[in-house]
Each structure stands twice: as C-alpha cells, then as structure tokens.
Amino acid sequence: MRVTPRQPTLVAFLTILLAACAGPSVPLLPPQEIVERSAEAMSSLPGFHFLIERTGAPAFLSEEQSISLRRVEGDFVAPDRARAAVRVIAPGAVLDVQAISLDGRYWETNPFSGSWQEYPAEQGFNPALLFAPETGIPAMLRSDLSQLTLAGVVELEDLPGVDLYEIEGRLDGGRISTLSYGLIGPGVIDVKLWIEPGTFYLQRMMMQEPGGDGGESTVWSVDLWDFGEVAEIRPPDER
C-alpha cells in the first residue's frame, strides 16, 4: 500500500514562515507570553516618554461636543507622576493645555489665560492614571486582552532597524474607559501591539474603535520611548 506523506498543518506552515521572516535572533514565543512579559517589564520601569495621538472620528472632552482631544505628549514617572502637553481642537481654534499629575494631585492650565487650576485626579485625561503600573496599561496587558495572535516580527517605518513582535487581538474597553474619562471604550476594541524582543518594552499600542452607525472609526496610537528615563516633575507653583 502506498503511503501518502502527511501535509503540514496551516499552523506549522505559519510558524515556519514567521521564523524565516524573523531571523535567527528573534525567538518566536506564544503571544500571551510576550504580552505577559511586556506587562512585567513595563511595571518595573521608573519612567518613560509617551505620545498619545487620536485620528479619525473626534473624541469629545465636553458634553456639548465642542472640544475634542487631538494629542497628549509628556513624561511618566512611576508610580503616579506625569506631565504633559495636551492639544485640543475647539470650534475655529487649536488650543494647548499643560497638565501635571503628582502624588495624587492633578493640575491643568486654562487654554486661554495659561493659569493653573487644580482638579480631582480622576477628572479629565490624566496620563498618570493611564500608565500606572498596577491599574493602567500594564494591568490591561495582563487582564483585558483576548484573541491574541502573533502577526509577525516587523520593523516600524519610524523605528528602522529594530525588530518588533506585532501582536493583534481584542481589548475589553471597560478599564481604559474609566482611565480615559470615557474618551476610549467601553466596548470591545481592536488592538495591535508592537513589543521589543529581549526587553519586552511596549513600543506602540494602536486601538481602533468602530464608528457608530457605520461612521468613521476612532484610532488611538500610544508610542513610548526613553525607557528608564526619570523626568523631574514638580507642582505648578514650584516651576
């Protein structure tokens, strides 16, 4: 009797293909393990620089839907300090707001006068809450992701020469909705992660929320760099 050789499964074929693309220096790990290691690595960092950008449909900061968030850039220092430049879009104007979160207190500048005002720490888009090791993005990596797949090992156009794990999945938006003051979530969100092998630092996180009634989706991109850097963050009256 003639024996027909077994055909490789699709999973085996994709594993071989990914290994060929990744090269010998990048070990292919299960996506869940990569994400768990990333959560651990991010939780141990003393600080980093971040950039959060929104594209697509607007994300409104006010109930009357007159002011929307465009981007937030700044520094985070563990466990609860952050300073950021926040850009918002108002009718006929692009405005910049400065924000500081320090030891459970939170301040913003008035976009027109530039004067500082203190607010409750949980009010507004407070980046210190978003990156907190125990409750922020590291906690999301541990608990809020599902349907994870390793799409490959790639280079980002704006980070040439660096191999990154590209992971796709779904994100339960409940936690990030609370952390972002309702700007992101609370429904299930498509997510992509780019994680550096070896260090397992999260270089980029992209979240795409579907638009209502078939409308334009909202895309949030979170970029991190200067890992381990500790910025000096002081209250507004000491600046």
Side-chain angles (χ1 to χ4, degrees), residues 108-117:
E108 287 183 3
T109 58
N110 183 291
F112 301 101
S113 67
S115 61
W116 288 94
Q117 176 69 47

Side-chain angles (χ1 to χ4, degrees), residues 31-85:
Q32 185 65 44
E33 180 179 345
I34 295 171
V35 169
E36 289 174 356
R37 290 196 185 189
S38 182
E40 182 179 354
M42 298 304 296
S43 295
S44 66
L45 280 170
F48 48 80
H49 194 81
F50 64 85
L51 172 63
I52 305 168
E53 290 191 288
R54 176 206 53 79
T55 56
F60 292 105
L61 291 162
S62 56
E63 291 184 2
E64 62 272 18
Q65 297 193 348
S66 59
I67 300 177
S68 65
L69 183 69
R70 176 61 182 87
R71 58 180 280 160
V72 184
E73 182 172 4
D75 298 288
F76 172 76
V77 176
D80 60 359
R81 298 187 178 197
R83 66 181 181 194

Side-chain angles (χ1 to χ4, degrees), residues 86-238:
V86 183
R87 176 157 292 180
V88 298
I89 300 174
V94 177
L95 306 172
D96 291 313
V97 175
Q98 301 299 312
I100 293 176
S101 182
L102 178 66
D103 299 333
R105 302 176 67 185
Y106 179 70
W107 298 265
E108 287 183 3
T109 58
N110 183 291
F112 301 101
S113 67
S115 61
W116 288 94
Q117 176 69 47
E118 186 170 359
Y119 297 93
E122 69 278 1
Q123 181 174 324
F125 196 91
N126 183 348
L129 300 179
L130 189 64
F131 295 114
E134 298 302 322
T135 57
I137 285 181
M140 290 164 45
L141 295 178
R142 294 187 187 98
S143 305
D144 299 347
L145 296 172
S146 63
Q147 301 180 33
L148 295 175
T149 60
L150 176 60
V153 177
V154 302
E155 292 183 17
L156 295 174
E157 183 177 350
D158 50 354
L159 198 62
V162 179
D163 288 331
L164 300 172
Y165 294 119
E166 182 179 86
I167 294 176
E168 300 176 352
R170 309 296 301 279
L171 172 67
D172 183 328
R175 185 193 308 267
I176 199 169
S177 177
T178 301
L179 297 174
S180 67
Y181 204 55
L183 290 176
I184 309 174
V188 177
I189 302 167
D190 290 327
V191 65
K192 286 187 177 183
L193 308 170
W194 287 267
I195 297 171
E196 184 177 11
T199 65
F200 292 94
Y201 293 156
L202 176 65
Q203 298 277 351
R204 177 172 293 171
M205 178 178 185
M206 187 172 292
M207 298 169 283
Q208 182 169 343
E209 296 186 272
D213 298 325
E216 185 179 18
S217 62
T218 302
V219 178
W220 296 89
S221 179
V222 181
D223 284 88
L224 308 176
W225 66 95
D226 286 348
F227 298 104
E229 296 291 327
V230 178
E232 184 179 3
I233 301 175
R234 296 178 295 174
D237 56 3
E238 297 181 12

